[in-house]
Amino acid sequence: MLLRLRTVPAFLQKVPQALTIFCLILLGYGVKAEEIKSPNGQLTLEFSLQRGGVPTYHLTYKGRDVIKPSKLGFDLKNAPSLTSGFAVAESKQRTFDESWQPVWGEVKTIRNHYNELAVTLTQAATSRIIRVRFRVFDDGLGFRYEFPKQDKLTHFVVKEERTQFALAGDHKAFWLPGDYDTQEYNTTTSKLSQVRALMKAAVTPNASQTTFSPTGVQTPLMLKSQDGLYINLHEAALIDYSTMSLELDDKNFILETHLTPDAAGDKGFLQTPANSPWRTVVVSDRAGDILESHLILNLNEPTKYKDVSWIKPVKYVGVWWEMITGRSTWAYTDATNIKLDSTDYRTLKPNGRHAANTAHVKEYIDFAAKHGFDAVLVEGWNVGWEDWFGEHKDYVFDFVTPYPDFDVQELHRYAAGKNVKLIMHHETSGAVRNYERHLEAAYKFMADNGYNAVKSGYVGDILPLGQHHYSQWTNNHYLYALTEAAKYHIMVNAHEAVRPTGLARTYPNLIGNEAARGTEYEAFGGNNPDHTTILPFTRLMGGPMDYTPGIFQTQISALNPENKSFVHSTLARQLALYVTMYSPLQMAADLPENYNKHLDAFQFIKDVAVDWDDTKVLEAEPGDYVTIARKAKGKNSWFIGSSCDENGRTSTVNFSFLDPGKPYVATIYADARNAHYEKNPQAYTIRKVNVTSKSRLAQYCAPGGGYAISVVPATTRR
Amino acid sequence: MLLRLRTVPAFLQKVPQALTIFCLILLGYGVKAEEIKSPNGQLTLEFSLQRGGVPTYHLTYKGRDVIKPSKLGFDLKNAPSLTSGFAVAESKQRTFDESWQPVWGEVKTIRNHYNELAVTLTQAATSRIIRVRFRVFDDGLGFRYEFPKQDKLTHFVVKEERTQFALAGDHKAFWLPGDYDTQEYNTTTSKLSQVRALMKAAVTPNASQTTFSPTGVQTPLMLKSQDGLYINLHEAALIDYSTMSLELDDKNFILETHLTPDAAGDKGFLQTPANSPWRTVVVSDRAGDILESHLILNLNEPTKYKDVSWIKPVKYVGVWWEMITGRSTWAYTDATNIKLDSTDYRTLKPNGRHAANTAHVKEYIDFAAKHGFDAVLVEGWNVGWEDWFGEHKDYVFDFVTPYPDFDVQELHRYAAGKNVKLIMHHETSGAVRNYERHLEAAYKFMADNGYNAVKSGYVGDILPLGQHHYSQWTNNHYLYALTEAAKYHIMVNAHEAVRPTGLARTYPNLIGNEAARGTEYEAFGGNNPDHTTILPFTRLMGGPMDYTPGIFQTQISALNPENKSFVHSTLARQLALYVTMYSPLQMAADLPENYNKHLDAFQFIKDVAVDWDDTKVLEAEPGDYVTIARKAKGKNSWFIGSSCDENGRTSTVNFSFLDPGKPYVATIYADARNAHYEKNPQAYTIRKVNVTSKSRLAQYCAPGGGYAISVVPATTRR
């Protein structure tokens, strides 16, 4: 024992013990637990070393197990594991309580209030030190690993993170197949014990996909216990680390981290001092609390930018849906096998279906200006689309050369004259190096031509092959593109990139991400009718999604007779999504011609805010329904959205969030009684009613339907 | 048969047959050969389709087999092989004869004279077309594959190139182990049949190495047949393709291409139209002809640069050898585990051995100015060297931040005042993406601070792991760095990069490469005494090497008592290398203090040219000796160098290359009679003799020795 004690590093012996709880555990014997509670006392986190010096944690909510005692640790490459043989060298607790204001968000002010336990562990046999930092909030737990700077642990390679989440039972899970390259799956809802049997059917085709296990699932993973606990597992502040999936032990209902590897199978190159991302457990017995949680944002660092005045929420239309549906094309010609550096487009015959032409884009600009949109996205403006996909082509786009029929200067002039911005589009085709080579020139081109936002895309396999969309190497790229963009005051909406983990707090020019099955899939066979009742509990936990709602013409064949897909939603529900699917970047994705046929309904999209002072989840049950009310930034008006599953229901709105005693007018955009997402999607009603904080509204939602309500003070007139 | 004929594409049937030799072979039957000869008639190249439509070629020299009938073709990924089932659709011959002047080189004018046979092959079963283009020069053969633009072959992935070189016997070979990451091996000289037995000993340790086969060898591969044919195999114009090694069938003495894979095992992503690099066979019965060959340069494209006036040969000294020997350090401190973005070097204690400090660099500048050198290389000037190697660290250098003791502006001012340039140093540590991210800023920093040349380095494994130094992906990087540098009028000397293949013709700012075991290894245990008698026949076939000769203090312990290595060369031979190891970039690598002790010998280094109007190989036998005379660019003076192996010999110089009738003075820097590379390396003599074109000189070379001669017109006085 004396020998062991001698192995404690000298600096640890200097730690002021009066300020800390200092406990050195005898290796291989006994358990000494430490616990902290959430500020409201409902959550309890207990850390202990199990026999053999194995670090574990245990989380309860109102006395019920959320995470049963679960192991912590790492396997390293060419080095002993960091999973056992630990003793507690130091343990510190503190309380933190601060409020902060996001640059954009669901609420004006966010309270960051937690109790913290930081346990420093020494592995005597290797003289290595790690620290596990737990933060217990009223809405859940975050914890991360910290690797302090030390002599015996400098550079190291993660073979696998060994963090367990031992669940208390065979919970209902809302899951996507674990995949290194895509999140664009429909959610499967099942018991954990059914994951294995349902996996094959869950893995639908994608442009790039790499599943890894018959029981691997993604985060954010939404769970519901049989006794009504809602549990969400995800991660926060994913920086310089590979993305976490979860490997399910479906006998014992233990989930364990499975990191995304690189080409050599390595899962992380770290250098001390270093931290893992936070592993997050959001929990409540009320589903709405999950949606109202800001735990993931709170675990991210405050913004690194001194000036954020250039970052603004955006409502936009775009030259996009007409290509998605197959009506028009990104490509200028029908040529194939194009090489950028030897192709003179002026010599090629246009195909006549190229949407991003100057005249047509002006129509979108006119529409945007007329209806008060901030911006117009234009895809397919730049050369290369004839030969961009599926061949692992490296030099696929240069991001600065327009097609002959797209006049950059003229469109900039025209849009500026109407106070409309154009949104740039950078499809990388997964050729990450090629994009980085062109990044500075592309951003400068944007700045020179009046663009202040870019939608980027990573369709297809990441190049060089062997890297994945969620490898540390690729994750570093997304952040590089984001921070380089900030230098040019450019906002980024990255599609097919890594799922967000609250990084937009730190880098608020990340105004959008896809990272899930968006509206585009409604033209590729459809999303499940309950899709938008689940996404807020899963994908949106990490950050906003550019879901691109607002499709009024839900029959794709109306745009392209060959495409028999239809949008699995009523028109009214399409309006609701502007509220239920929070994003500071919202598209009205349908074509102007379709909006012109329903200008009464379109009014809601024109009116709805994209930035908020407050948010109330009125009703929520993952997979069944979501009803949310939000208060517009700097205004006294509210917007309510409700989305329900394929069964339809009658929703109840309690207007108690309104200022007491004040009269309001609510405009209700709702499914007609005979509406149905498949059979009668465009049947909607619009009515106005007077409401106060005492009002209650029972509102019908059709199967696959929903409703949207704008609530303005009665004195206000449009 | 009729059916097969119908599969010939229509456009091929239109080929004007009067101008071509058109032959359509019956698949699976018979052989129809076509042949062309070299301009002087000594080489014959025969192409034929073997049974089953297998394309083959056959090369003879003066009636002797150089390459016996050998197969051609490709295996593709997820597509049928391009190895058989071919018919000849078209065959064209032409003669080409043109002379051109290199920007810098061994001769003033290069004649590019060949007969060409281009055979277009159709694979009926797949409707795919390939073309093999053969060029037969008096000094050898070059051939490449061409993949014309076509419908049935657009994008494709090379699984392996299947080009064979069937040798006529168990030749003597000068070989390096085949490796995806390094060429820094001593050459093993053996019969081909002995390669397997000697491989293990041949694979000595390196900072990054990936061998692939017990009989894999590198190119340039030098061979000598028992009947005295000298054969060199290499490649030319390696662009957007992975580097070729050769896999030896040591029973039948057939070499076959083995390309460098990427992380996924793929060996090349091609899009039609595309060409392979040229595969080259230089052959003669006189060894000197191999060294005088310009075949590889001739197979490269003329320069792509409009303005080449900024590209100048460079003779330089540098802050380098003192670190290589261990006397001083690249790093400013003895700190470890440094992170660039969180390290303030001003707070760290200098180690007192950092060579790249302002005062010390000024000493080098003074020395360079005094002795007429163009430039001073400074390594270790930039932050990061404390933690740069062996950990696969990504952000290892930023290439623009100097150590606190290195004053960029002051040194620029000081050097400019003495008409000396500083040479920039960019060690990438293999972190290719990190380098590309910083490239533009680093080049701009150079331009802003008066640098016009950079030595770049790729020590360690290429990142991301799985890519290799010679993968297509990485080869593309080297060319990218080179062409980006050209935009800033920067010359590049890339170390640990891919071996050159004559690309400096096209991109003449590639003034140097390492890509072999250079002088640095003399401080790491030593190079074989015959090393410099082999390199001209191997590594230098593709382009110049920054061998960094000129070490006068051959006992490394004189600089660092702990280092017992010694240079395996006499001092006189160190002088010879400036002539025998052609490069437009030549370093005097030793320390000024060592040159100051031998200023009489140093005079040769000061005098020797680095650009040439003419070159004559006077004597040569790979592994034994090389004696070369070169005429200085624009002058009537000549310089002669001779290097011999560990046995020593008496060399004969025939001065017939001098202008007839003119008197010259030759200054001969030679080994003393008792000199020996190990026992007495610094024993040299210097003498002057009068010579004319009729003079003959018998000159002794000590074991591991050599000599250098400057020959100037007698009327010229220094």
Side-chain angles (χ1 to χ4, degrees):
Chain A
M1 216 26 244
L2 270 174
L3 276 171
R4 287 197 186 281
L5 277 170
R6 282 197 189 114
T7 63
V8 177
F11 80 88
L12 289 174
Q13 298 170 11
K14 294 180 195 156
V15 169
Q17 299 185 21
L19 293 175
T20 64
I21 301 166
F22 188 97
C23 57
L24 196 64
I25 304 300
L26 301 193
L27 282 177
Y29 296 88
V31 175
K32 174 109 175 11
E34 294 204 55
E35 68 170 48
I36 52 172
K37 288 183 179 295
S38 59
N40 67 4
Q42 294 185 342
L43 279 88
T44 302
L45 177 279
E46 186 185 79
F47 172 84
S48 64
L49 283 179
Q50 299 297 333
R51 190 179 188 82
V54 176
T56 65
Y57 73 106
H58 176 196
L59 181 69
T60 59
Y61 172 82
K62 295 181 181 175
R64 290 141 71 185
D65 275 341
V66 179
I67 307 292
K68 297 197 295 181
S70 295
K71 294 178 184 175
L72 299 164
F74 284 85
D75 288 337
L76 305 188
K77 185 179 180 184
N78 302 326
S81 287
L82 289 164
T83 49
S84 63
F86 284 106
V88 173
E90 186 190 28
S91 152
K92 282 188 179 177
Q93 294 188 17
R94 67 166 184 152
T95 293
F96 187 85
D97 189 2
E98 155 190 284
S99 290
W100 59 279
Q101 297 201 324
V103 176
W104 42 259
E106 297 177 87
V107 295
K108 185 175 185 179
T109 302
I110 293 173
R111 186 177 182 189
N112 186 10
H113 188 197
Y114 56 80
N115 290 322
E116 180 177 281
L117 169 66
V119 186
T120 301
L121 301 168
T122 55
Q123 191 179 44
T126 65
S127 298
R128 294 178 301 180
I129 303 161
I130 65 171
R131 185 177 300 123
V132 189
R133 188 178 300 275
F134 300 92
R135 290 182 180 168
V136 185
F137 304 78
D138 287 346
D139 48 349
L141 166 70
F143 64 95
R144 73 176 179 190
Y145 300 90
E146 299 178 359
F147 306 94
K149 189 165 178 172
Q150 56 195 289
D151 288 346
K152 299 296 184 185
L153 189 65
T154 55
H155 295 270
F156 60 102
V157 182
V158 175
K159 197 164 147 192
E160 188 60 276
E161 181 181 326
R162 302 290 302 278
T163 303
Q164 290 186 344
F165 304 87
L167 302 173
D170 186 10
H171 299 341
K172 182 180 183 181
F174 301 85
W175 58 273
L176 306 182
D179 196 299
Y180 300 153
D181 286 296
T182 189
Q183 294 116 200
E184 295 178 359
Y185 293 115
N186 265 313
T187 304
T188 302
T189 305
S190 78
K191 296 265 190 190
L192 288 167
S193 57
Q194 297 169 311
V195 168
R196 187 183 297 273
L198 295 170
M199 181 60 75
K200 195 174 169 186
V203 180
T204 48
N206 193 271
S208 175
Q209 61 189 151
T210 310
T211 56
F212 57 84
S213 157
T215 59
V217 297
Q218 301 197 17
T219 75
L221 177 66
M222 189 65 212
L223 300 159
K224 185 182 181 185
S225 70
Q226 284 185 293
D227 60 350
L229 271 192
Y230 298 90
I231 304 167
N232 183 280
L233 303 179
H234 191 36
E235 59 184 318
L238 171 59
I239 294 177
D240 198 20
Y241 203 88
S242 61
T243 301
M244 172 178 79
S245 289
L246 295 169
E247 180 72 68
L248 170 67
D249 168 353
D250 54 353
K251 295 282 176 293
N252 301 298
F253 311 120
I254 297 171
L255 294 155
E256 188 169 312
T257 41
H258 177 103
L259 300 180
T260 308
D262 68 9
D266 298 323
K267 298 195 163 188
F269 290 82
L270 273 70
Q271 179 183 0
T272 59
N275 302 326
S276 77
W278 296 91
R279 278 62 186 96
T280 62
V281 184
V282 180
V283 60
S284 182
D285 49 14
R286 174 182 169 264
D289 289 344
I290 307 296
L291 302 184
E292 289 177 359
S293 169
H294 302 298
L295 182 147
I296 287 173
L297 282 178
N298 278 329
L299 289 168
N300 278 270
E301 296 294 315
T303 181
K304 301 243 185 219
Y305 304 147
K306 283 179 189 161
D307 174 19
V308 293
S309 63
W310 51 278
I311 302 171
K312 308 274 189 203
V314 179
K315 201 191 295 181
Y316 73 106
V317 294
V319 183
W320 175 74
W321 185 244
E322 56 182 285
M323 288 92 88
I324 289 289
T325 55
R327 178 197 249 195
S328 52
T329 63
W330 283 270
Y332 172 69
T333 81
D334 288 336
T336 56
N337 192 24
I338 286 284
K339 284 186 168 181
L340 271 198
D341 47 11
S342 59
T343 300
D344 181 354
Y345 275 95
R346 291 166 305 180
T347 67
L348 298 180
K349 186 177 162 232
N351 64 14
R353 300 198 304 136
H354 178 232
N357 65 77
T358 304
H360 192 49
V361 173
K362 283 185 179 179
E363 294 169 11
Y364 277 86
I365 293 171
D366 291 343
F367 183 82
K370 180 176 179 185
H371 295 290
F373 285 81
D374 302 302
V376 177
L377 165 72
V378 187
E379 296 199 5
W381 69 279
N382 59 326
V383 296
W385 286 94
E386 286 78 4
D387 190 72
W388 73 285
F389 175 70
E391 300 292 355
H392 301 138
K393 182 177 178 173
D394 197 25
Y395 182 33
V396 62
F397 292 112
D398 71 4
F399 310 99
V400 296
T401 305
Y403 278 127
D405 60 348
F406 185 86
D407 187 334
V408 174
Q409 286 76 29
E410 169 59 13
L411 285 167
H412 174 209
R413 187 198 64 76
Y414 190 82
K418 301 205 166 197
N419 201 24
V420 168
K421 285 277 183 187
L422 292 180
I423 298 179
M424 173 51 70
H425 184 234
H426 289 167
E427 174 54 51
T428 68
S429 192
V432 167
R433 182 172 70 172
N434 181 59
Y435 188 39
E436 290 202 7
R437 285 180 177 180
H438 291 88
L439 206 56
E440 296 303 319
Y443 287 159
K444 185 163 187 315
F445 177 88
M446 286 178 62
D448 291 346
N449 291 289
Y451 293 85
N452 70 342
V454 60
K455 174 182 174 180
S456 57
Y458 295 88
V459 174
D461 295 333
I462 296 294
L463 300 185
L465 285 185
Q467 295 298 331
H468 295 289
H469 282 73
Y470 315 138
S471 309
Q472 182 186 28
W473 189 84
T474 318
N475 287 345
N476 287 355
H477 161 77
Y478 305 129
L479 187 55
Y480 176 75
L482 185 64
T483 51
E484 290 298 300
K487 294 177 184 172
Y488 292 86
H489 286 192
I490 289 170
M491 299 183 283
V492 174
N493 168 23
H495 282 225
E496 298 90 21
V498 66
R499 46 190 171 268
T501 57
L503 281 183
R505 179 182 179 191
T506 313
Y507 308 99
N509 63 323
L510 181 59
I511 53 165
N513 269 121
E514 186 181 44
R517 197 172 165 100
T519 296
E520 64 184 0
Y521 277 86
E522 301 284 17
F524 306 157
N527 291 332
N528 289 341
D530 66 359
H531 192 50
T532 54
T533 69
I534 298 170
L535 283 176
F537 291 94
T538 54
R539 163 64 183 77
L540 268 61
M541 291 299 290
M545 177 176 178
D546 184 28
Y547 188 72
T548 70
I551 304 301
F552 282 11
Q553 179 44 271
T554 56
Q555 305 306 308
I556 313 302
S557 58
L559 296 172
N560 173 10
E562 292 176 18
N563 190 330
K564 302 304 180 195
S565 293
F566 65 94
V567 182
H568 289 51
S569 163
T570 65
L571 189 152
R573 200 252 290 270
Q574 288 292 305
L575 303 180
L577 300 179
Y578 290 89
V579 183
T580 60
M581 301 282 286
Y582 167 67
S583 175
L585 179 83
Q586 286 285 17
M587 186 179 198
D590 209 342
L591 276 58
E593 66 190 59
N594 291 328
Y595 290 133
N596 286 333
K597 291 174 190 161
H598 303 278
L599 285 173
D600 55 351
F602 186 58
Q603 188 64 45
F604 182 83
I605 300 179
K606 292 172 65 171
D607 292 342
V608 68
V610 285
D611 201 12
W612 310 99
D613 274 343
D614 203 2
T615 287
K616 304 282 185 194
V617 179
L618 306 183
E619 306 173 303
E621 181 62 29
D624 294 345
Y625 54 85
V626 177
T627 307
I628 300 177
R630 302 190 198 269
K631 188 180 181 197
K633 175 71 79 185
K635 295 186 179 171
N636 202 15
S637 50
W638 289 76
F639 295 85
I640 300 165
S642 183
S643 177
C644 75
D645 66 11
E646 66 280 9
N647 299 315
R649 67 187 284 268
T650 294
S651 163
T652 304
V653 179
N654 181 335
F655 287 90
S656 61
F657 52 82
L658 294 176
D659 285 352
K662 279 195 184 170
Y664 292 81
V665 175
T667 307
I668 302 167
Y669 304 76
D671 293 323
R673 207 59 222 183
N674 61 347
H676 185 279
Y677 73 96
E678 184 172 4
K679 297 171 195 154
N680 196 18
Q682 291 186 319
Y684 62 90
T685 67
I686 303 175
R687 67 189 198 279
K688 284 187 197 290
V689 295
N690 295 319
V691 295
T692 69
S693 65
K694 295 187 175 165
S695 300
R696 303 288 178 276
L697 172 71
Q699 179 59 53
Y700 174 69
C701 298
Y707 59 86
I709 308 176
S710 68
V711 187
V712 296
T715 50
T716 303
R717 294 198 169 267
R718 242 195 326 265
Chain B
M1 219 24 246
L2 271 174
L3 275 171
R4 288 198 185 280
L5 277 171
R6 282 195 189 117
T7 64
V8 177
F11 79 90
L12 290 175
Q13 296 170 12
K14 293 181 194 154
V15 169
Q17 299 185 19
L19 294 175
T20 63
I21 301 165
F22 189 97
C23 56
L24 195 63
I25 304 299
L26 301 194
L27 282 176
Y29 297 87
V31 175
K32 174 106 173 19
E34 294 204 54
E35 70 170 48
I36 52 170
K37 288 184 179 294
S38 59
N40 67 4
Q42 294 185 340
L43 279 87
T44 302
L45 177 280
E46 187 183 77
F47 172 85
S48 63
L49 284 179
Q50 299 297 333
R51 190 179 189 83
V54 175
T56 65
Y57 73 106
H58 177 196
L59 181 69
T60 59
Y61 172 81
K62 295 182 180 174
R64 289 141 71 183
D65 275 342
V66 180
I67 307 292
K68 296 198 296 180
S70 295
K71 293 178 184 175
L72 299 163
F74 284 86
D75 287 338
L76 305 188
K77 185 180 181 184
N78 302 326
S81 287
L82 289 164
T83 49
S84 64
F86 284 106
V88 173
E90 186 190 28
S91 154
K92 281 188 178 177
Q93 294 189 18
R94 66 166 185 152
T95 294
F96 187 85
D97 189 2
E98 155 190 285
S99 290
W100 59 280
Q101 296 200 323
V103 176
W104 42 259
E106 297 177 87
V107 296
K108 184 176 186 179
T109 302
I110 293 173
R111 186 178 182 188
N112 186 10
H113 189 197
Y114 57 79
N115 290 321
E116 179 178 280
L117 170 66
V119 186
T120 302
L121 301 168
T122 55
Q123 192 180 43
T126 66
S127 299
R128 294 179 300 180
I129 303 161
I130 66 172
R131 185 177 299 123
V132 188
R133 188 178 300 276
F134 299 93
R135 290 183 180 167
V136 185
F137 303 79
D138 287 346
D139 48 348
L141 166 70
F143 63 95
R144 73 176 179 190
Y145 300 89
E146 299 178 358
F147 305 94
K149 191 165 177 172
Q150 57 195 291
D151 289 345
K152 299 296 184 185
L153 189 65
T154 55
H155 295 270
F156 60 103
V157 182
V158 175
K159 197 164 146 193
E160 189 60 277
E161 181 180 326
R162 302 289 302 276
T163 303
Q164 291 186 344
F165 303 87
L167 302 172
D170 187 10
H171 299 339
K172 183 180 183 181
F174 302 84
W175 58 274
L176 306 183
D179 197 298
Y180 300 153
D181 286 295
T182 188
Q183 294 117 357
E184 295 178 359
Y185 293 115
N186 265 312
T187 304
T188 303
T189 305
S190 78
K191 296 266 190 188
L192 289 167
S193 56
Q194 297 170 312
V195 167
R196 186 183 297 272
L198 295 171
M199 181 60 77
K200 195 174 169 187
V203 181
T204 48
N206 193 271
S208 175
Q209 60 189 152
T210 311
T211 56
F212 58 84
S213 157
T215 58
V217 297
Q218 302 196 17
T219 75
L221 176 65
M222 190 65 213
L223 301 159
K224 185 181 181 184
S225 71
Q226 284 185 291
D227 60 349
L229 271 192
Y230 298 90
I231 303 167
N232 184 281
L233 304 180
H234 190 39
E235 59 183 320
L238 171 60
I239 294 178
D240 198 21
Y241 203 89
S242 62
T243 301
M244 172 178 79
S245 290
L246 295 169
E247 180 72 68
L248 170 66
D249 168 353
D250 54 354
K251 294 283 176 292
N252 300 298
F253 311 121
I254 297 171
L255 295 155
E256 189 169 312
T257 42
H258 177 103
L259 301 179
T260 307
D262 67 10
D266 298 323
K267 298 196 163 188
F269 291 82
L270 273 70
Q271 178 182 2
T272 59
N275 302 326
S276 76
W278 295 92
R279 280 57 186 99
T280 62
V281 184
V282 179
V283 59
S284 180
D285 49 15
R286 174 182 169 264
D289 288 345
I290 306 296
L291 302 185
E292 289 177 358
S293 169
H294 302 298
L295 182 147
I296 287 173
L297 283 177
N298 278 328
L299 288 168
N300 277 271
E301 296 294 314
T303 181
K304 300 240 184 221
Y305 303 147
K306 282 179 188 159
D307 173 19
V308 294
S309 63
W310 50 278
I311 302 171
K312 308 275 189 202
V314 179
K315 202 191 295 182
Y316 73 106
V317 294
V319 183
W320 175 72
W321 185 244
E322 56 182 285
M323 288 92 88
I324 290 289
T325 55
R327 177 196 249 195
S328 51
T329 63
W330 282 271
Y332 172 69
T333 81
D334 288 337
T336 56
N337 191 24
I338 286 285
K339 284 186 169 182
L340 270 198
D341 46 13
S342 59
T343 300
D344 181 354
Y345 274 95
R346 290 166 306 180
T347 67
L348 298 179
K349 186 175 162 235
N351 64 14
R353 301 198 303 136
H354 178 232
N357 65 76
T358 304
H360 192 48
V361 173
K362 283 186 177 177
E363 294 169 11
Y364 276 86
I365 293 171
D366 291 343
F367 183 81
K370 180 176 178 185
H371 295 290
F373 285 82
D374 302 303
V376 176
L377 165 72
V378 187
E379 295 199 6
W381 69 277
N382 59 326
V383 296
W385 286 94
E386 286 78 3
D387 191 71
W388 74 283
F389 175 70
E391 300 291 355
H392 302 138
K393 181 177 179 173
D394 198 23
Y395 181 32
V396 63
F397 293 111
D398 71 4
F399 310 100
V400 295
T401 306
Y403 278 126
D405 60 347
F406 185 86
D407 187 334
V408 173
Q409 285 76 28
E410 169 60 13
L411 285 167
H412 174 209
R413 186 198 65 75
Y414 190 81
K418 301 204 166 198
N419 202 24
V420 168
K421 285 278 183 187
L422 293 180
I423 298 179
M424 173 51 69
H425 184 234
H426 289 167
E427 173 55 51
T428 68
S429 193
V432 167
R433 181 173 71 172
N434 181 59
Y435 187 40
E436 290 201 7
R437 285 180 177 179
H438 291 88
L439 206 57
E440 297 302 319
Y443 287 159
K444 186 163 186 313
F445 178 88
M446 286 178 61
D448 291 345
N449 290 290
Y451 293 85
N452 69 343
V454 60
K455 174 182 174 180
S456 56
Y458 296 87
V459 173
D461 294 334
I462 295 295
L463 300 185
L465 286 185
Q467 296 297 331
H468 295 288
H469 282 73
Y470 315 138
S471 308
Q472 182 186 27
W473 189 85
T474 319
N475 288 344
N476 286 356
H477 162 76
Y478 305 128
L479 187 56
Y480 176 74
L482 185 64
T483 51
E484 290 298 300
K487 294 177 183 172
Y488 292 85
H489 285 192
I490 289 170
M491 299 182 283
V492 175
N493 167 24
H495 282 226
E496 298 90 20
V498 66
R499 45 191 172 267
T501 58
L503 281 183
R505 180 181 178 190
T506 312
Y507 308 99
N509 63 322
L510 181 60
I511 53 165
N513 270 121
E514 186 183 44
R517 196 172 165 99
T519 296
E520 63 185 1
Y521 277 86
E522 301 284 16
F524 306 158
N527 291 333
N528 289 341
D530 67 358
H531 193 50
T532 54
T533 69
I534 298 170
L535 283 177
F537 290 93
T538 54
R539 163 63 184 77
L540 268 61
M541 291 298 290
M545 178 176 178
D546 184 29
Y547 189 71
T548 70
I551 303 300
F552 281 11
Q553 178 44 271
T554 57
Q555 304 305 309
I556 312 302
S557 59
L559 295 173
N560 172 9
E562 291 176 19
N563 189 330
K564 303 304 179 195
S565 293
F566 66 94
V567 182
H568 289 50
S569 163
T570 64
L571 189 153
R573 200 254 288 271
Q574 288 292 306
L575 302 180
L577 300 179
Y578 290 88
V579 182
T580 59
M581 301 282 286
Y582 168 67
S583 174
L585 179 82
Q586 287 285 17
M587 185 179 199
D590 210 340
L591 277 58
E593 66 191 58
N594 291 328
Y595 290 134
N596 285 333
K597 291 174 191 161
H598 303 278
L599 286 173
D600 55 351
F602 187 57
Q603 188 63 45
F604 182 83
I605 300 178
K606 293 172 64 171
D607 291 342
V608 68
V610 285
D611 201 11
W612 310 99
D613 274 343
D614 203 2
T615 287
K616 304 282 183 194
V617 179
L618 306 183
E619 305 174 303
E621 181 62 28
D624 294 345
Y625 55 85
V626 176
T627 307
I628 299 177
R630 302 191 197 269
K631 189 180 180 197
K633 175 71 80 186
K635 294 186 178 171
N636 202 15
S637 51
W638 289 75
F639 294 85
I640 300 165
S642 183
S643 177
C644 74
D645 67 11
E646 67 279 10
N647 299 315
R649 66 187 284 270
T650 294
S651 164
T652 303
V653 178
N654 181 336
F655 287 89
S656 61
F657 53 82
L658 295 176
D659 285 351
K662 281 195 184 169
Y664 291 82
V665 175
T667 307
I668 303 167
Y669 304 77
D671 294 322
R673 206 58 221 186
N674 60 346
H676 185 279
Y677 74 96
E678 184 172 5
K679 296 170 196 157
N680 195 18
Q682 290 187 320
Y684 61 89
T685 66
I686 302 175
R687 66 189 199 279
K688 287 187 195 290
V689 296
N690 296 319
V691 295
T692 69
S693 65
K694 296 188 175 167
S695 300
R696 302 288 179 276
L697 172 70
Q699 179 59 52
Y700 175 67
C701 298
Y707 61 85
I709 309 176
S710 67
V711 187
V712 295
T715 50
T716 303
R717 293 197 170 269
R718 241 192 333 265

